[in-house]
Amino acid sequence: MPRRSRRALLAAAVTGFAGVAAGCGAPSNSSRTAESPARRLRGKSIFVADAVTIRVDDVRRVNDPTDADLAVFAATEDEETVRSALAAETIVAVVGEDARLTVERACDADGRSYGFCSDSWSADMNVVAAVPHSTRLETHVYTDVSVPDELPWALGETFSTGGSDCAGIDSLAAVPANAADSLTPVGASRIRSRTRPGGFDRWDRVQVATGPKRAWLVLETTATIVGGRDGFDADTVRLVDHFDQRLEGVDTAAHPADKVEIRTRGDRSEDAADHSFHPTSDAAHRSFTACQRAVVTVPELPEPFSYTANGRFRWRNPGFFDDDHWHHHTPGQAMWYLRPSDPFRR
């Protein structure tokens, strides 16, 4: 891991995901109602290690993880077993307090590009998954999952390809036209959680394009907030990214149907992308997706590529005299490992 910048060190001082809100504390499983489990698991073949307990129907159990659509391991599993499943193009999920470390080691041994959109660690990151693609791995971190009751929900989410609501909006910034055709995906990384007031789903996606004298790194973040529990509305999403590289351009969007006001914060001249998103319709107060795309340039591709990132989510429960707010953050430094075998390094 490279030596961190001053900004990154300041961000790393904030660990964990849950923020304290007025009248609220960390997320609690007891106040949530389980969503319909395992809808995406139906008809899938699943390997489940002996140390993992899972209650799910309508799936086909197999004895070999390399023959499964999804392999579920305990955090105590050795990285080589997990890596072998990834090599067979099996989605892997690891359950337990050290799930993040086990998956990260397996991804590193696999050899394909991968990343995590936050290097923060906490005990509630108890389900972590990696989804193999041809030249890259996609990582999922699920926080505060009650095992085994909510495990089917988290495992079903690994088959989701969400977070792309704004992918087709033309106003988002892009690299120069002469490099755009060579954009190559590095990977995607996700943080997903269900909290007392609702939930959130953050995706970071990185692409790379190279030219004769410099390279472009494109970061797209989509963050969905969901309200509707215990009287709480979706109130604000704020996306903050700090780069050590030169920030060439940044743009934001929300789906037009969501009716969301976007406010610019911070100073781009300091290589920072910082925007907040505020719903202006009843539908958006139930759920909306915020999108931010940033383009940075470098004389050569860094190894790894990192930036200080934070997704900040706020819910509001309107009161007669005062409103009650609930906050949740995803702080930390994003780390992306660009492998020598990738097309943009040839």
Side-chain angles (χ1 to χ4, degrees):
M1 184 176 295
R3 185 170 57 188
R4 297 183 179 182
S5 67
R6 180 178 63 86
R7 288 194 301 257
L9 289 170
L10 290 172
V14 184
T15 58
F17 286 93
V20 176
C24 302
S28 170
N29 288 330
S30 62
S31 60
R32 292 181 290 173
T33 57
E35 297 176 11
S36 177
R39 184 176 64 244
R40 295 187 179 97
L41 292 181
R42 290 172 185 165
K44 304 294 186 182
S45 60
I46 298 181
F47 167 85
V48 181
D50 292 340
V52 177
T53 299
I54 179 174
R55 307 185 187 103
V56 63
D57 299 320
D58 300 326
V59 299
R60 180 169 60 90
R61 297 288 187 103
V62 297
N63 296 322
D64 185 347
T66 64
D67 289 336
D69 295 318
L70 169 68
V72 188
F73 301 100
T76 53
E77 191 67 71
D78 66 276
E79 66 191 57
E80 179 56 29
T81 302
V82 181
R83 186 207 64 80
S84 296
L86 283 174
E89 304 303 309
T90 297
I91 297 173
V92 301
V94 178
V95 182
E97 188 172 331
D98 291 327
R100 162 71 183 268
L101 179 61
T102 303
V103 171
E104 187 167 352
R105 287 174 172 172
C107 289
D108 195 59
D110 177 87
R112 282 175 277 191
S113 289
Y114 76 97
F116 283 92
C117 58
S118 174
D119 65 352
S120 291
W121 292 75
S122 63
D124 67 353
M125 298 181 195
N126 55 339
V127 181
V128 181
V131 180
H133 296 276
S134 58
T135 61
R136 62 195 186 278
L137 301 173
E138 176 184 291
T139 61
H140 296 233
V141 175
Y142 303 97
T143 70
D144 198 44
V145 177
S146 175
V147 178
D149 293 344
E150 295 182 317
L151 184 55
W153 167 80
L155 298 179
E157 283 288 309
T158 64
F159 291 95
S160 168
T161 57
S164 59
D165 288 22
C166 303
I169 295 180
D170 294 335
S171 64
L172 290 176
V175 299
N178 61 348
D181 291 341
S182 64
L183 274 174
T184 302
V186 173
S189 180
R190 179 192 199 190
I191 299 175
R192 178 80 164 95
S193 183
R194 296 185 296 179
T195 66
R196 173 188 163 191
F200 68 85
D201 192 1
R202 169 188 166 187
W203 289 77
D204 282 24
R205 290 180 171 87
V206 173
Q207 299 181 81
V208 169
T210 56
K213 294 183 179 180
R214 61 175 177 167
W216 295 265
L217 292 149
V218 181
L219 163 65
E220 183 173 290
T221 300
T222 58
T224 300
I225 183 172
V226 180
R229 293 182 182 170
D230 290 352
F232 282 89
D233 294 331
D235 186 59
T236 306
V237 171
R238 185 177 175 187
L239 300 177
V240 185
D241 297 311
H242 292 272
F243 300 95
D244 290 326
Q245 299 83 8
R246 178 181 173 181
L247 179 60
E248 290 284 355
V250 60
D251 211 339
T252 57
H255 198 282
D258 283 345
K259 295 185 179 179
V260 174
E261 178 187 353
I262 303 173
R263 301 173 190 170
T264 302
R265 308 172 66 107
D267 188 347
R268 185 184 135 187
S269 65
E270 296 182 353
D271 300 319
D274 186 350
H275 296 85
S276 61
F277 302 76
H278 306 266
T280 60
S281 69
D282 290 342
H285 277 294
R286 291 190 292 271
S287 178
F288 69 90
T289 298
C291 308
Q292 178 171 276
R293 180 183 287 180
V295 181
V296 299
T297 58
V298 290
E300 60 182 18
L301 293 176
E303 179 54 45
F305 170 51
S306 66
Y307 48 90
T308 304
N310 194 355
R312 306 176 183 179
F313 302 85
R314 189 176 79 168
W315 294 262
R316 180 174 65 93
N317 187 352
F320 188 77
F321 293 108
D322 296 301
D323 294 344
D324 193 11
H325 292 95
W326 186 286
H327 299 262
H328 211 84
H329 292 195
T330 59
Q333 187 175 24
M335 306 294 293
W336 294 87
Y337 299 92
L338 289 58
R339 298 307 192 185
S341 60
D342 290 327
F344 45 80
R345 284 203 182 271
R346 292 175 184 169

